[in-house]
Amino acid sequence: MRKKKTLFQNLLSYITYKEKEPIKEFYIPEINEKESSQDQGNIPDHTNKGHERNRGIIKPVPVAEMRKEKTAGQNQASDNTVSTNIQQNMDYINQKFNAPDNKDIIIRQFTIAKRYKAFIAYLDGMVDRVTINHFILAALMENDDKFTNGDESCQLEFILLNVLQTNQAKKLDTPRDVIYEILSGNTVLYVDGCDYYLVNETKGYDKRGVETPQVEGVVLGSQEAFNETLRTNITLIRKYIKNSNLTTEFIRVGIENQQLCAVLSINGLTNPAIVDEVKRRIKSIKSDAILGDGMLEQFIEDNPFSLVPTMLTTERPDRTASHLLEGKVAILVEGAPFCKIVPISLVSLIHSPEDAFMRWPYGTLLRFVRVFAIAISTLLPGLYVALTKFHQEMVPTDLLIAIAKAKENVPFPTVVEVILMELSFELIREAGIRIPGIIGNTLGIIGALILGQAAVQANIVSPVLIIVVAVTGLGNFAIPNYSLALSVRLARFFFIFLGALLGFYGITIGLALIWVSLFNIKSFGVPYFSPVAPKTSRSADLFIRYPVWNQEYRPDYVNALRKKRQTKISRKWTQQNPENNYDREESDDEGR
Amino acid sequence: MRKVSLLLITLFFFFIMTACTTDGKEIDDQVYALILGLDKGVDNKIRLTIQYPTYKGGGGMQKSEGGGEDKKSGQIDNTVVTTIEASSILEGINLLNTVTSRRISLVHLKKVVFSEYIARQGIKNYLEPLARFREIRRITQIAVCRGSAEDFINENKTLIGESISKSMELMTSQSQNTGYFPKTPFETFYKGILSPYGQAYSTYVGINDFKHLKPLSEATAPLRTEYPILPGEIPRTGDLARETIGTAVFDGDRMVGSLNSYETRYFMMVSGGFEKGIFTLEDRSMPGSAIPFDVRLGRKPKVKVTFNNGVPIIDVNLNIEADIGAIQSRIPYEKLERIDELNDLIADIIQNGIKKTIEKTQKEWNTDIFSFGYQAAKHFFTIQEFEKYNWLRHYKEAKVNVSVQANVRRTGLMTESAPVRYSNQDVLSEEK
């Protein structure tokens, strides 16, 4: 037991040095190319341990089931065994789904070949009725002549091979999985006397089509985005990576909602340690419900208290594919039209998918614009406050007098003006999202114009400030990552506060603090500022985007199994002679 | 949580441990003096005049002359000019706060004007607070006014635009276009006063009473080149009464004399500050007609100081470039075989002018405003030896050799002046 500290001791503890408690942190081990090719399943020791420990955990048994008597395993339907009695199995499913109170679960009884009692079970609305009617029910009830052997034993094997006309069907002998399949929109078939079910793929719930990206729009580049269906999303990624090594592993998260979560990586390229770490973190989550990737992110991120995101969120399949090919891991969650990519560094938040599609000078220019935008939107209001309050000598005289003239009738100090304006700008933005449809779009522009103009005329704020706030807002919109933009919005208020309090000195302190905290965080074992700090090998895709054929290596920090992306000379044609060639001579230019 | 509280505590400490938080002042809580004038007081040591802009809405402001009872403080072109007598500069400004209702800040001070009277008495007492006070910028221009500084500031108006500060900044930069007056930021001026290598100089300003422009008459006027002008003497009317021309020459902190417009140009050519200026020279082949040149330095001036039996010898080597502005005589000097005539003309006149100017500073005042001392110091091993020798005292003994190379580089838009045709003359073009 620790003694209760006095206030003084408490304060003292903040400014004295203490030995750091050793924390075991994840890192990405470097794996030799040859080793990995010999034994790809070779998982480094420390992660392996975590893995095994996980496996050892016994899943808790719900109280309701603990009471249940475990009698005569063969006949009694339970979570682990399928009864051979049709009635017991129907009761089991009914009980699990709270029927008859729950009207969603449909159990349809019928007889096959007038002999075998059977039922199918599915959730209403989640299934495709046409498939059930034409290819399950019709197939089973109209093909009496196929059942010729008159055998009384289990007919499911025969049905699977000969009768059913569904594209996907498999046997399942654990009732818990059967329940899950029903929940996923599949149809289970049971025939009396069997000790397993047949699961037919009949998913047919309503879903949104593949639409254009809402958040990550680009000019040049593909215009399709993820939707809420996991299957579709994975397919969209597969469209870009036609590689048999692209592996999708499914993990169910959330104890109550059992959401399906997919971990994508490229086998033999992605460092297996990352995949294992991602899976370890996701599997270890013990929580009621995880509804989307945003919630999942908060459960598995390294630094929950950091200002900036440590996972890249994207709604673009092409961007996901490019990151997968760099040796990173993508996490998709059913029902969320976004994908999380780990591990990342700060620069990948500044990149836009467009950069790679454009010729390199344009891409580089846009990157510098974005860095400038981040600087502006973080610091400009803070600098303005600091300038006008502490450092008047730095403003050109004429501008100073103009500002003073404009401010003459404004009754508030500059800080109040800035905060007032920033807050109303935030209001416009937030309202712009909520207000429906066409009004929402126009409100942004009109709101900002009218509000700004009116505020100036009413002598509430000075006109120079409107420019400052407007430029800040523009800068913020230029940041390609929404989460990063939000963190910049937060930091802005921090800097306004510091600028008002301590001037440039305060802003310097604030920059140092934020800088230190940023250098401290990691994203799945990758320092946030790599490859700048810690310095690793030079990247051809950092701020200056080199030509695509010049980017020979994958990012160093992911320790990919294959570090090289392409050969030293990737444009082989430059070394070959064209088929139709001629030696250029001086006389060629004559007559032109 | 721990990190957050650590952050808050850090911020809290910064807040209470630094005094900065109370130093902040809103822009409009202060007025920014643009010009500071210093005269000798009558009842007290100093009479101080400042001018600062008002914050009344832009445009439309009418010029209103000073208030009824106090003529000396009033509005001029959206600015207020106030004069006060006090025991010291800083207290005088402090005392003015009792009137102006806002704190007077000197962070944007553009110019400090000393009246010639106190400049000749010595101004070290006035410079001390300017050098020490943190609000004064080092780029504040120093000027000496022929007459009283108060009158000068009362005439400090702008007719072109509304911004007095802009007009003052641009006025200073006219030094680059004309070479008629040097720029003297406080830094240079103060260094000149303390330096063992040279003496201080400053811009010379004054007020024109518009009486130098004589009424029109029929009599033919002579061509007067290298016309010597001092502030207040430019024959002109209109525009503003204030004018900036010439150089005030200091020995230590005391003004000893002044250089007129052309002497200033020669002085700036040697010290390297001359950018360009129009020189009107008399045509040797046709006296009475002028050739204006746009003159500038072709290279940095080369100055060498050597000692011969203890007598310093100063070698000044100048490379001048000139563009022809006009040839009134229409003689084809542009031709390759005649261009040297122009080169020689320019070189002779400038060489002569520089010689005379240096001689003037030696003989009349013995003040080395050219800072030749920097070159002389190279012949001494330690600064103590140099100080013991006292260059400033020995400057007048120095022999000065000036050599000027002039090159006419451009002829303007014409390569030759075609002759003017009169009805009673035959002019034939040359056959080629």
Side-chain angles (χ1 to χ4, degrees):
Chain A
M1 241 186 70
R2 265 197 350 211
K3 264 192 283 178
K4 205 181 174 189
K5 283 182 185 169
T6 60
L7 178 70
F8 177 72
Q9 277 173 326
N10 237 330
L11 287 178
L12 205 65
S13 76
Y14 286 126
I15 52 170
T16 49
Y17 175 75
K18 282 176 292 302
E19 195 75 30
K20 239 181 137 184
E21 285 174 30
I23 307 166
K24 285 207 172 78
E25 274 191 34
F26 169 72
Y27 79 104
I28 307 172
E30 214 164 327
I31 291 172
N32 213 325
E33 221 168 289
K34 281 176 191 167
E35 262 177 53
S36 67
S37 59
Q38 282 166 5
D39 180 14
Q40 284 201 350
N42 186 13
I43 299 160
D45 261 353
H46 62 284
T47 48
N48 215 353
K49 273 178 202 162
H51 212 108
E52 278 172 5
R53 212 184 304 132
N54 239 349
R55 274 184 195 160
I57 293 172
I58 302 162
K59 286 193 177 169
V61 184
V63 184
E65 281 158 43
M66 278 164 71
R67 283 193 198 143
K68 213 184 271 177
E69 290 171 46
K70 287 185 177 175
T71 52
Q74 278 298 332
N75 285 330
Q76 198 65 35
S78 73
D79 273 357
N80 296 319
T81 49
V82 180
S83 166
T84 48
N85 183 324
I86 187 168
Q87 191 57 43
Q88 280 210 2
N89 283 330
M90 286 198 316
D91 288 347
Y92 173 76
I93 291 175
N94 274 330
Q95 178 227 335
K96 276 285 169 194
F97 282 96
N98 281 334
D101 293 347
N102 187 353
K103 298 287 185 298
D104 279 354
I105 183 75
I106 308 289
I107 296 184
R108 164 83 159 83
Q109 279 181 276
F110 55 96
T111 16
I112 302 169
K114 300 185 180 67
R115 282 206 298 278
Y116 311 109
K117 278 200 265 182
F119 74 86
I120 57 167
Y122 60 89
L123 277 178
D124 198 13
M126 296 280 285
V127 293
D128 179 25
R129 281 187 200 132
V130 180
T131 316
I132 294 180
N133 289 344
H134 292 277
F135 305 109
I136 298 177
L137 285 180
L140 289 169
M141 293 163 83
E142 287 172 5
N143 287 325
D144 291 358
D145 46 331
K146 281 190 182 173
F147 294 89
T148 48
N149 54 359
D151 197 349
E152 289 299 319
S153 63
C154 178
Q155 294 294 318
L156 269 179
E157 179 78 31
F158 178 78
I159 291 171
L160 174 65
L161 292 175
N162 299 308
V163 186
L164 279 180
Q165 296 171 6
T166 50
N167 63 339
Q168 272 184 40
K170 61 180 178 193
K171 294 186 208 166
L172 265 187
D173 54 3
T174 34
R176 201 181 1 212
D177 292 343
V178 170
I179 301 295
Y180 184 77
E181 292 296 335
I182 297 175
L183 287 169
S184 311
N186 293 334
T187 304
V188 294
L189 167 68
Y190 179 79
V191 178
D192 198 12
C194 298
D195 62 347
Y196 57 88
Y197 289 82
L198 265 189
V199 181
N200 299 283
E201 205 278 323
T202 56
K203 289 190 192 80
Y205 40 80
D206 296 330
K207 62 188 181 191
R208 197 159 61 100
V210 176
E211 284 167 19
T212 52
Q214 300 291 312
V215 190
E216 288 171 283
V218 294
V219 180
L220 306 174
S222 88
Q223 300 291 346
E224 60 184 18
F226 289 133
N227 64 14
E228 284 79 2
T229 323
L230 186 58
R231 209 7 95 190
T232 315
N233 292 349
I234 294 168
T235 316
L236 286 176
I237 296 171
R238 280 206 184 270
K239 213 163 79 180
Y240 287 96
I241 309 175
K242 293 194 175 58
N243 187 335
S244 58
N245 281 329
L246 177 63
T247 316
T248 316
E249 290 173 77
F250 290 103
I251 303 169
R252 285 183 220 154
V253 290
I255 292 166
E256 294 298 335
N257 74 335
Q258 298 269 315
Q259 192 66 285
L260 200 59
C261 162
V263 178
L264 275 83
S265 61
I266 296 178
N267 197 9
L269 177 68
T270 317
N271 194 315
I274 308 174
V275 186
D276 287 327
E277 176 69 10
V278 170
K279 287 196 309 202
R280 181 179 78 87
R281 289 191 192 181
I282 295 177
K283 277 179 184 162
S284 71
I285 299 169
K286 293 278 170 282
S287 174
D288 253 16
I290 285 169
L291 290 175
D293 64 327
M295 280 173 85
L296 188 72
E297 177 188 12
Q298 297 173 53
F299 275 105
I300 63 171
E301 67 184 342
D302 295 57
N303 302 71
F305 294 104
S306 87
L307 189 66
V308 288
T310 51
M311 294 164 95
L312 175 67
T313 311
T314 180
E315 56 168 349
R316 303 179 57 88
D318 56 341
R319 198 176 188 192
T320 313
S322 86
H323 280 284
L324 278 172
L325 288 169
E326 278 184 355
K328 294 174 187 172
V329 172
I331 305 164
L332 286 153
V333 179
E334 173 90 65
F338 291 101
C339 172
K340 295 283 178 207
I341 287 157
V342 290
I344 54 150
S345 65
L346 178 67
V347 280
S348 45
L349 294 178
I350 301 168
H351 295 175
S352 158
E354 207 168 15
D355 299 354
F357 297 133
M358 272 189 285
R359 298 189 56 249
W360 68 271
Y362 323 146
T364 307
L365 170 77
L366 292 187
R367 280 196 188 163
F368 280 107
V369 169
R370 278 183 228 130
V371 172
F372 176 70
I374 291 179
I376 285 282
S377 58
T378 324
L379 293 176
L380 192 63
L383 284 178
Y384 177 74
V385 173
L387 266 180
T388 54
K389 208 176 164 202
F390 290 96
H391 312 282
Q392 288 99 357
E393 70 273 14
M394 291 188 70
V395 188
T397 314
D398 288 322
L399 180 62
L400 183 86
I401 292 165
I403 295 175
K405 268 184 186 170
K407 228 176 117 26
E408 182 60 23
N409 291 324
V410 179
F412 305 115
T414 316
V415 205
V416 178
E417 279 182 77
V418 171
I419 290 178
L420 215 86
M421 224 35 228
E422 286 290 346
L423 280 183
S424 45
F425 196 77
E426 294 292 316
L427 265 182
I428 291 173
R429 265 185 180 196
E430 194 56 21
I433 297 172
R434 304 278 166 271
I435 292 175
I438 307 160
I439 319 166
N441 291 335
T442 44
L443 179 102
I445 306 157
I446 292 174
L449 279 177
I450 293 181
L451 199 79
Q453 189 65 28
V456 168
Q457 281 180 355
N459 286 328
I460 292 171
V461 295
S462 49
V464 187
L465 194 70
I466 302 285
I467 301 170
V468 170
V469 174
V471 171
T472 312
L474 277 182
N476 203 279
F477 281 123
I479 301 174
N481 188 286
Y482 191 67
S483 309
L484 187 68
L486 280 173
S487 67
V488 163
R489 268 155 86 175
L490 255 175
R492 188 166 74 218
F493 284 101
F494 178 60
F495 279 112
I496 293 174
F497 171 72
L498 282 175
L501 214 60
L502 299 167
F504 281 178
Y505 176 55
I507 285 177
T508 318
I509 291 171
L511 273 179
L513 281 179
I514 286 194
W515 220 234
V516 166
S517 75
L518 282 186
F519 274 102
N520 192 27
I521 62 175
K522 282 183 176 180
S523 159
F524 281 78
V526 170
Y528 208 51
F529 268 86
S530 57
V532 179
K535 180 94 184 113
T536 56
S537 64
R538 197 179 63 96
S539 166
D541 190 22
L542 197 64
F543 289 111
I544 296 174
R545 196 184 74 76
Y546 286 71
V548 176
W549 48 265
N550 226 339
Q551 302 179 9
E552 281 157 27
Y553 294 95
R554 293 179 213 287
D556 195 22
Y557 56 83
V558 292
N559 279 344
L561 298 186
R562 271 183 281 131
K563 294 198 164 50
K564 257 196 154 176
R565 226 195 282 248
Q566 55 204 9
T567 51
K568 175 93 184 143
I569 293 160
S570 48
R571 300 178 305 156
K572 292 286 183 211
W573 62 268
T574 51
Q575 294 196 318
Q576 299 157 351
N577 285 330
E579 210 163 292
N580 301 317
N581 60 59
Y582 71 101
D583 289 325
R584 197 172 171 78
E585 285 165 17
E586 273 182 24
S587 59
D588 286 358
D589 287 335
E590 279 171 19
R592 285 191 188 179
Chain B
M1 204 51 228
R2 204 184 131 79
K3 277 181 190 166
V4 173
S5 51
L6 188 64
L7 190 81
L8 289 178
I9 282 182
T10 320
L11 284 180
F12 177 72
F13 273 108
F14 279 128
F15 179 73
I16 57 166
M17 288 166 84
T18 54
C20 307
T21 46
T22 54
D23 275 359
K25 282 176 197 71
E26 290 292 331
I27 283 189
D28 50 344
D29 288 352
Q30 311 187 71
V31 287
Y32 303 92
L34 296 176
I35 185 167
L36 177 73
L38 294 164
D39 287 297
K40 194 189 152 299
V42 179
D43 283 338
N44 209 336
K45 270 286 175 200
I46 293 172
R47 178 172 291 201
L48 182 127
T49 311
I50 64 162
Q51 183 179 24
Y52 53 86
T54 62
Y55 298 152
K56 290 189 176 163
M61 277 299 298
Q62 291 297 309
K63 257 204 298 179
S64 63
E65 296 308 324
E69 68 269 49
D70 186 7
K71 218 184 158 194
K72 271 153 198 157
S73 71
Q75 285 203 344
I76 296 164
D77 277 359
N78 290 337
T79 59
V80 177
V81 177
T82 325
T83 305
I84 196 165
E85 268 195 18
S87 47
S88 71
I89 296 177
L90 295 181
E91 200 192 328
I93 288 166
N94 218 217
L95 200 57
L96 269 178
N97 283 340
T98 55
V99 195
T100 52
S101 82
R102 295 185 205 204
R103 184 175 173 278
I104 294 168
S105 164
L106 298 182
V107 290
H108 277 269
L109 195 65
K110 301 242 174 276
K111 199 176 228 170
V112 178
V113 183
F114 294 98
S115 72
E116 187 166 341
Y117 182 80
I118 61 169
R120 284 189 186 272
Q121 303 282 311
I123 53 174
K124 64 173 185 296
N125 294 343
Y126 304 96
L127 290 173
E128 162 69 7
L130 297 181
R132 204 180 278 270
F133 191 43
R134 66 174 285 272
E135 282 188 3
I136 306 279
R137 297 190 194 202
R138 260 42 188 166
I139 55 165
T140 305
Q141 296 289 323
I142 299 290
V144 170
C145 178
R146 219 177 164 198
S148 89
E150 189 187 335
D151 292 346
F152 178 79
I153 294 176
N154 273 316
E155 287 300 330
N156 189 26
K157 302 170 192 169
T158 165
L159 292 182
I160 298 165
E162 281 174 7
S163 165
I164 196 91
S165 63
K166 188 173 190 173
S167 94
M168 285 168 72
E169 279 168 17
L170 291 178
M171 189 67 235
T172 308
S173 70
Q174 289 312 308
S175 164
Q176 295 157 5
N177 291 335
T178 63
Y180 281 134
F181 60 92
K183 282 186 189 177
T184 45
F186 181 77
E187 183 76 48
T188 321
F189 183 75
Y190 197 56
K191 210 163 81 183
I193 282 176
L194 307 176
S195 160
Y197 304 109
Q199 295 282 25
Y201 58 91
S202 87
T203 319
Y204 204 22
V205 298
I207 304 155
N208 200 324
D209 55 7
F210 302 133
K211 281 176 187 159
H212 291 269
L213 188 70
K214 288 169 188 147
L216 290 170
S217 77
E218 298 280 306
T220 43
L223 173 66
R224 294 173 65 188
T225 55
E226 293 188 81
Y227 190 47
I229 308 174
L230 281 170
E233 291 176 359
I234 304 175
R236 65 181 181 105
T237 60
D239 210 292
L240 297 166
R242 63 166 163 82
E243 55 196 30
T244 310
I245 194 164
T247 311
V249 179
F250 283 75
D251 182 357
D253 69 327
R254 276 191 292 276
M255 179 177 165
V256 287
S258 61
L259 298 180
N260 64 33
S261 50
Y262 265 82
E263 285 163 349
T264 301
R265 280 177 161 185
Y266 297 135
F267 153 60
M268 284 173 70
M269 276 181 184
V270 176
S271 62
F274 183 81
E275 293 218 1
K276 63 176 176 187
I278 306 277
F279 275 61
T280 307
L281 306 184
E282 189 164 18
D283 199 335
R284 275 175 183 163
S285 314
M286 195 183 282
S289 66
I291 310 177
F293 291 101
D294 192 352
V295 175
R296 61 185 182 278
L297 284 178
R299 300 232 174 83
K300 264 193 192 168
K302 282 182 195 146
V303 176
K304 219 168 110 188
V305 179
T306 48
F307 285 88
N308 188 6
N309 296 330
V311 180
I313 300 163
I314 302 168
D315 292 307
V316 178
N317 212 322
L318 281 185
N319 186 318
I320 299 285
E321 286 187 3
D323 301 343
I324 299 171
I327 301 175
Q328 291 181 350
S329 59
R330 305 189 86 79
I331 296 167
Y333 285 118
E334 303 96 333
K335 293 272 183 297
L336 268 181
E337 60 269 22
R338 299 200 70 170
I339 199 84
D340 277 340
E341 291 177 34
L342 290 188
N343 290 344
D344 293 345
L345 171 71
I346 298 166
D348 283 355
I349 285 178
I350 291 179
Q351 191 167 328
N352 219 346
I354 289 175
K355 251 188 185 157
K356 274 185 190 160
T357 309
I358 297 178
E359 206 176 286
K360 191 176 178 184
T361 60
Q362 281 181 309
K363 298 280 143 45
E364 282 190 31
W365 314 305
N366 188 25
T367 64
D368 177 16
I369 52 174
F370 301 90
S371 292
F372 290 133
Y374 280 105
Q375 304 304 320
K378 289 176 181 170
H379 297 277
F380 297 85
F381 285 114
T382 60
I383 188 74
Q384 283 78 11
E385 276 177 45
F386 180 67
E387 283 170 350
K388 207 168 160 192
Y389 173 74
N390 197 348
W391 166 258
L392 301 179
R393 180 182 295 152
H394 288 85
Y395 171 62
K396 62 172 179 277
E397 301 157 9
K399 282 182 183 161
V400 183
N401 303 318
V402 181
S403 77
V404 175
Q405 277 96 47
N407 281 310
V408 172
R409 292 287 187 200
R410 274 163 286 267
T411 59
L413 293 182
M414 290 196 283
T415 51
E416 193 182 341
S417 316
V420 179
R421 291 171 201 268
Y422 298 96
S423 57
N424 54 0
Q425 273 179 10
D426 293 330
V427 179
L428 295 175
S429 296
E430 253 180 72
E431 276 181 47
K432 287 189 177 164

